[in-house]
Amino acid sequence: MRLDLTTLNLVLAIEQTRSITRGAEREHLALAAASKRISDLESRLGVQLFERRARGVEPTEACRALVRHIRTLNASLHALESEVVEFARGIKGHLRIAANAGAIAECLPADMASFLQAHPQIRISLEDMTSAETQAAVAEGRADVGVFTPPIVDNRLDTRNYSQGRLAVLVPDGHALAGRQSVSFDDLLDYDLVGLHAGASAQELMREQALARGRTLNARLAVRGFDAIAQLVEAGLGVAVLPQGPAQRFSQVFAVKLLRLEEPWAQRDYVLGVARVERLPTVVQRFVDALCPVAKEEKKP
């Protein structure tokens, strides 16, 4: 079955505007031609894509499933176009990486720099996402490689152990805990916590740990970026749990004290994930082998 891009983009436009008329206008099609395209597509697929209402249309579940694939296809086509154009500029590959904030702050930059030094004709783009968003981006083809912390929630990925990190605690200078070298999570639950936005792996982990203790996480302030967290802690607005790498750097810049978090779950594993396919693109395979050389040896017969 062949599906042309014009019709697929028309489906996407109608789903977004909830109107065949406005969808047709956005795709520069006559209304009659657009209606026929949708009718023909429904006949070929054997499903109804839109329910006609008095004030427009409503997508069916089948339509929503189709739209997800259309978005993935458009993302792949855009990446294809960008990569092919870059060959004319001397670029021999484009690697799209998605990673959580901890990986970007702790381990990924140095490895990316080493890889680019060895492969100067490859261009890398990096996007900061939560661990769950990173896994979805790789599985849906919006990223080639993902670096994140467990749990692994998408079984469409092939994963390898990549690196390890550790969570630490920042408290303001003069805080009741500032005179100590280490604290437990129970010690922190009596204070307001400054953390990342909802969905961030460390934030969700702390929420689960608090619930397991029958306590409530006093997450009063949520921001994007570890530097913002450090500044809020310095201002005395709470304490924070964040990766040890950036926490160590902030303790040298801001009026905050670095404490060790004495919890088993403070030790964190970073996982590298790629799409589960028979053969990875050469650029992706080179990057995986550079970051996870042990995995390469383990795959040999």
Side-chain angles (χ1 to χ4, degrees):
M1 178 187 297
R2 289 188 176 183
L3 303 175
D4 65 277
L5 289 175
T6 301
T7 301
L8 294 179
N9 285 329
L10 174 62
V11 171
L12 185 60
I14 295 173
E15 189 269 341
Q16 291 173 340
T17 62
R18 295 297 198 270
S19 167
I20 295 178
T21 301
R22 290 197 296 273
E25 289 173 353
R26 202 173 85 172
E27 295 303 310
H28 308 290
L29 294 170
L31 178 59
S35 296
K36 187 175 189 308
R37 281 179 177 271
I38 296 300
S39 178
D40 289 347
L41 181 60
E42 288 177 328
S43 297
R44 291 171 65 184
L45 295 176
V47 295
Q48 183 179 359
L49 296 175
F50 298 99
E51 295 178 355
R52 277 67 174 175
R53 304 285 176 83
R55 295 186 177 181
V57 296
E58 186 69 24
T60 63
E61 287 301 318
C63 179
R64 292 189 179 94
L66 178 60
V67 163
R68 286 196 297 272
H69 289 288
I70 294 172
R71 289 195 174 109
T72 300
L73 175 62
N74 282 341
S76 298
L77 290 173
H78 177 71
L80 180 152
E81 182 181 11
S82 298
E83 188 167 341
V84 170
V85 168
E86 285 172 347
F87 275 95
R89 303 173 185 163
I91 301 295
K92 301 304 182 184
H94 178 199
L95 187 64
R96 300 167 300 157
I97 302 174
N100 71 349
I104 294 173
E106 289 203 282
C107 52
L108 198 53
D111 286 335
M112 287 173 54
S114 297
F115 180 79
L116 287 175
Q117 188 173 6
H119 304 84
Q121 292 180 311
I122 293 175
R123 185 168 73 84
I124 289 181
S125 59
L126 174 64
E127 189 168 357
D128 180 356
M129 299 181 177
T130 67
S131 289
E133 290 170 344
T134 296
Q135 294 179 57
V138 175
E140 294 169 7
R142 291 180 282 113
D144 302 307
V145 179
V147 180
F148 50 90
T149 53
I152 299 169
V153 297
D154 199 311
N155 59 12
R156 293 174 290 176
L157 301 184
D158 178 16
T159 59
R160 295 107 186 271
N161 293 329
Y162 164 48
S163 185
Q164 287 187 321
R166 185 173 183 85
L167 294 173
V169 177
L170 284 184
V171 301
D173 282 352
H175 190 273
L177 299 174
R180 300 170 60 171
Q181 296 300 314
S182 62
V183 291
S184 69
F185 188 57
D186 290 299
D187 295 327
L188 303 179
L189 288 174
D190 293 328
Y191 302 97
D192 289 344
L193 281 160
V194 181
L196 292 175
H197 53 90
S201 57
Q203 200 70 12
E204 295 305 314
L205 177 60
M206 288 192 293
R207 196 179 306 279
E208 292 171 4
Q209 291 296 323
L211 288 174
R213 291 165 166 80
R215 301 285 299 277
T216 301
L217 193 67
N218 297 322
R220 304 300 186 193
L221 297 168
V223 295
R224 284 187 175 270
F226 295 132
D227 55 341
I229 290 176
Q231 292 179 66
L232 292 171
V233 171
E234 180 185 48
L237 296 174
V239 301
V241 175
L242 65 166
Q244 184 164 299
Q248 179 71 46
R249 295 192 292 271
F250 293 143
S251 69
Q252 300 169 2
V253 177
F254 299 103
V256 295
K257 177 72 182 297
L258 175 68
L259 308 178
R260 180 180 175 85
L261 180 60
E262 295 290 355
E263 296 289 345
W265 48 268
Q267 186 76 32
R268 299 210 300 173
D269 295 322
Y270 289 107
V271 175
L272 184 146
V274 294
R276 184 170 291 170
V277 294
E278 185 174 346
R279 185 178 180 84
L280 290 171
T282 302
V283 172
V284 178
Q285 188 64 62
R286 286 181 180 178
F287 186 75
V288 172
D289 291 342
L291 267 64
C292 305
V294 175
K296 182 179 181 181
E297 295 299 321
E298 287 175 348
K299 293 185 72 175
K300 290 182 180 180

